[in-house]
């Protein structure tokens, strides 16, 4: 008997939404022959947090945009936040990292800058709302989690 194996690109293990365009993207100057993070979909369509956004909606978007029908998507769930810190303060957790910066809070990390410069130590709303907005914009992500 003959056994066939296909050695295509290895699926990513990192959390987030990823795209592969086996036949290319004829209508655009885009080609994802290897698994490529769908950064735009993660930032603008919540594809990092939502499995259906990544696997269904973003596939439709790519097929239409590219003029192809064989787009493949992979979604890996973001990690759950670790146990909440017990010390008083403003903390940040970045489940999918911080793509635009050389920063990653893969465990609860004290937001010392926000506490010193944005009143995040004394104001719950500054920590939970404003600092999340700040981190999401600075990181180029939408899944930052804050704890106060």
């Amino acid at each position: 008997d003959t056994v066939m194996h296909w050695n295509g690109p290895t699926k990513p293990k990192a959390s987030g939404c990823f795209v592969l365009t086996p036949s290319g993207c004829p209508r655009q100057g885009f080609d994802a022959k290897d698994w490529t993070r769908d950064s735009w979909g993660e930032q603008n369509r919540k594809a990092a947090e939502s499995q259906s956004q990544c696997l269904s909606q973003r596939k439709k978007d790519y097929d239409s945009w590219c003029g192809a029908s064989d787009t493949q998507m992979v979604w890996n769930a973001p990690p759950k936040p670790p146990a909440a810190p017990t010390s008083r303060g403003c903390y940040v957790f970045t489940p999918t990292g911080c793509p635009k910066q050389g920063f990653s809070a893969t465990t609860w990390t004290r937001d010392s800058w926000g506490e010193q410069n944005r009143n995040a130590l004394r104001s719950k709303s500054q920590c939970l709302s404003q600092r999340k907005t700040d981190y999401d914009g600075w990181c180029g992500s939408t899944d930052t989690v804050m704890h106060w």
Side-chain angles (χ1 to χ4, degrees), residues 89-125:
C90 182
Y91 295 84
V92 61
F93 172 66
T94 56
T96 57
C98 190
K100 287 172 48 179
Q101 307 297 330
F103 171 81
S104 184
T106 55
T107 62
W108 287 112
T109 303
R110 189 83 179 249
D111 181 19
S112 300
W113 190 91
E115 290 178 356
Q116 294 169 6
N117 297 282
R118 294 290 185 261
N119 201 31
L121 179 61
R122 291 185 277 301
S123 170
K124 185 175 184 176
S125 66

Side-chain angles (χ1 to χ4, degrees), residues 16-17 37 41-42 46-50 54 75-78 96 142-143:
C17 184
R37 181 176 291 278
E42 289 182 356
K46 298 190 182 287
E49 298 100 67
S50 170
C54 177
W75 182 80
N76 295 320
T96 57
T142 59
D143 62 347

Side-chain angles (χ1 to χ4, degrees), residues 45-111:
R45 296 291 183 260
K46 298 190 182 287
E49 298 100 67
S50 170
Q51 184 176 14
S52 64
Q53 271 297 104
C54 177
L55 300 181
S56 180
Q57 186 58 52
R58 293 300 292 150
K59 178 187 174 10
K60 289 177 190 171
D61 293 346
Y62 273 105
D63 284 349
S64 174
W65 185 63
C66 289
S69 61
D70 62 345
T71 304
Q72 297 175 28
M73 306 298 294
V74 166
W75 182 80
N76 295 320
K80 299 292 182 205
T86 55
S87 299
R88 184 173 182 264
C90 182
Y91 295 84
V92 61
F93 172 66
T94 56
T96 57
C98 190
K100 287 172 48 179
Q101 307 297 330
F103 171 81
S104 184
T106 55
T107 62
W108 287 112
T109 303
R110 189 83 179 249
D111 181 19

